[in-house]
Amino acid sequence: MPNARRATAGALPPGDPAPGRRTGIPRAGRATNGRGARARVGATDRNGFRDLRVLDVHKSFGESKVLHGVDLSIDSGRTLSLLGPSGCGKTTLMRIVSGLEIADSGEVRVGERLLAGPGVNVAPESRRIGLLGQERSLFPHLSVGGNVAYGLGRAPDRATRVREVLDMVDLAGFEKRMPDSLSGGQQQRVAIARALAPRPRMLLLDEPFQALDVHLRLELQAEVRTLLGALGATAVIVTHDQDEAFVMGDDVAVMQEGHIRQRGHPSEVYGHPASPWVASFVGDANFVPGLGSGSTVATPLGNLATCCPVSGKVAVLVRPSHLRLVAAAASGEGDVGATGQVQAMRFYGHATECRVQIGDNVLLARSDRMPSVRVGDDVALHYEGPPAVAYPESSMAGLRRDGKQRREAPASPAR
Ligand code: ATP
């Protein structure tokens, strides 16, 4: 997506201040992650955040249909990760929520207020939605105070409000500092303060950590997660990184080709994916053929218990970390499992991955211990996971045995 279409922190002018809330945030509570990100919020005051309801939103660009009747709801004070591959429509959906794009049909509500719907289209600057884009989105020529005040217009309480929100993100006294004198984490907190300044009803964070190196990204994810929770913010975090989605969201909504395929707690989405595609998008996956009968399924790995009743031909999800690999000679007689040959090994330090050829299938096994085998060795694989999740064989159409989309074979060159 071109950067010009990305949300930038505080890019929208403020909406009307909430009635009766012109002087800011009570400071009864203080939350901390122990590493600096602290938000002072009142125990009962949740800073005016509201819930979000998106109902049956459709959007096409010309002939190309991008959103197919999307429903999405987030309760006040919760954070939702909107996760999906590039081009699935995440940004389009967020632009519709923020008013930068108009849906063909459907509704958007924040709290009781209808922002978009039949005959209604509230202007972006009046929606009171705070936007944060990538981390380096502060204006470099403006001080911290200037960045935070940007978007407050000529509001009479500008200076007070800047102090309040800097205090909320634990940067009191930083008004005169310039962005390039701050750490990445401090810059991120200034960006959040800037988005908070006009008292938004919710926050949209579009790939906020995309430009960062992995260490800073992990640090900021934890910091921002804690801060959003402490602020009681209703927030959507758009990402195509499944780890980030799981770390950041109270809930995750997985989007594919303009549809929300699954919505739930991260452990539910990972443990009980709604489809083979979701399973492989949120983590590494093997699918082995099975024949279901009630609460068990016969597979090349032996008879496995299933989480739900199954019958007929199925594809069984096997996470690589649920496979224990042992040298064939060490596998006890009568042990349930499959035998095969190690095709490839990768050592990551914290884990080792082995690709094992079993009949026509290659299964990926991952262990946090270094298995005492080498490429070419005969090995046995044992399933050691929770009751297995199985899908009708037909749901694998178009997918490889690791659940990834099959690529169309390139057309042969004309002779
Ligand atoms: P990414 O993670 O790469 O940002 P995304 O999931 O946010 O992707 P969108 O940016 O919403 O995806 O784009 C969804 C589809 O809509 C893409 O095919 C994109 O090319 C198309 N699209 C988005 N905006 C426009 C536009 N203004 N005109 C035409 N097509 C558009």
Side-chain angles (χ1 to χ4, degrees):
M1 190 190 60
N3 273 348
R5 290 203 307 113
R6 287 212 175 272
T8 350
L12 299 179
D16 301 332
R21 297 217 56 252
R22 296 188 67 86
T23 51
I25 312 297
R27 297 227 209 130
R30 184 178 174 93
T32 176
N33 66 357
R35 290 185 300 108
R38 288 180 286 273
R40 296 155 171 98
V41 293
T44 54
D45 188 302
R46 301 310 282 162
N47 291 337
F49 288 101
R50 300 280 190 270
D51 48 16
L52 168 71
R53 304 276 176 253
V54 171
L55 188 67
D56 199 23
V57 163
H58 291 256
K59 178 71 184 174
S60 296
F61 293 107
E63 294 293 295
S64 160
K65 182 122 192 168
V66 173
L67 299 178
H68 302 257
V70 172
D71 294 325
L72 200 64
S73 64
I74 308 166
D75 288 341
S76 164
R78 308 279 293 171
T79 297
L80 177 89
S81 294
L82 181 61
L83 171 68
S86 183
C88 73
K90 306 179 296 291
T91 300
T92 302
L93 180 61
M94 290 304 102
R95 285 170 61 82
I96 287 171
V97 169
S98 58
L100 299 172
E101 200 76 68
I102 299 177
D104 300 336
S105 61
E107 282 185 6
V108 176
R109 281 177 194 275
V110 173
E112 292 302 305
R113 194 167 175 217
L114 180 64
L115 300 180
V120 176
N121 182 32
V122 174
E125 62 273 20
S126 303
R127 291 192 177 203
R128 306 192 59 186
I129 293 177
L131 302 176
L132 279 106
Q134 293 179 16
E135 183 260 348
R136 309 283 172 200
S137 62
L138 297 179
F139 298 117
H141 60 290
L142 292 182
S143 66
V144 166
N147 266 283
V148 176
Y150 184 92
L152 284 176
R154 295 180 186 279
D157 63 347
R158 250 167 86 106
T160 314
R161 184 63 184 155
V162 169
R163 269 200 305 280
E164 276 171 5
V165 289
L166 284 176
D167 196 24
M168 284 164 69
V169 300
D170 206 33
L171 290 175
F174 276 61
E175 283 90 334
K176 294 203 162 47
R177 294 277 292 270
M178 295 306 284
D180 64 4
S181 74
L182 304 179
S183 71
Q186 288 169 331
Q187 290 184 29
Q188 188 83 22
R189 280 187 272 149
V190 175
I192 291 176
R194 182 168 68 177
L196 290 173
R199 299 182 173 90
R201 294 306 194 208
M202 64 167 301
L203 297 175
L204 299 182
L205 296 86
D206 191 354
E207 305 266 12
F209 313 113
Q210 196 185 32
L212 306 177
D213 72 61
V214 66
H215 294 295
L216 187 54
R217 175 187 280 234
L218 293 176
E219 195 179 317
L220 290 191
Q221 284 169 353
E223 193 160 320
V224 171
R225 173 87 170 101
T226 304
L227 182 57
L228 293 177
L231 290 166
T234 311
V236 182
I237 298 196
V238 176
T239 179
H240 57 256
D241 179 316
Q242 45 276 32
D243 290 344
E244 184 164 294
F246 286 166
V247 170
M248 297 296 296
D250 296 308
D251 266 358
V252 176
V254 185
M255 194 168 185
Q256 182 199 22
E257 294 172 357
H259 298 269
I260 303 291
R261 300 297 190 191
Q262 186 169 11
R263 152 78 187 261
H265 186 271
S267 64
E268 174 67 16
V269 173
Y270 186 79
H272 294 93
S275 68
W277 183 86
V278 172
S280 67
F281 189 70
V282 301
D284 288 327
N286 302 291
F287 291 91
V288 295
L291 194 59
S293 164
S295 56
T296 53
V297 60
T299 76
L301 295 161
N303 288 338
L304 309 181
T306 57
C307 65
C308 312
V310 281
S311 67
K313 283 189 170 183
V314 290
V316 182
L317 168 62
V318 176
R319 295 283 184 204
S321 57
H322 293 154
L323 285 174
R324 184 169 58 90
L325 181 145
V326 286
S331 184
E333 190 126 322
D335 278 2
V336 177
T339 52
Q341 205 173 45
V342 178
Q343 215 186 46
M345 291 180 77
R346 269 193 198 159
F347 177 63
Y348 290 98
H350 61 282
T352 304
E353 284 183 355
C354 294
R355 288 188 186 274
V356 181
Q357 180 91 43
I358 302 217
D360 291 342
N361 295 311
V362 176
L363 299 188
L364 179 68
R366 184 178 298 126
S367 169
D368 55 5
R369 289 189 217 142
M370 183 71 188
S372 50
V373 295
R374 293 185 189 172
V375 173
D377 282 0
D378 291 332
V379 292
L381 280 179
H382 300 270
Y383 180 78
E384 291 188 345
V389 181
Y391 305 91
E393 185 57 43
S394 57
S395 61
M396 292 296 291
L399 302 181
R400 303 183 317 211
R401 278 283 156 196
D402 59 1
K404 306 283 184 217
Q405 212 98 37
R406 277 183 211 285
R407 282 173 208 268
E408 295 297 325
S412 12
R415 288 168 188 264

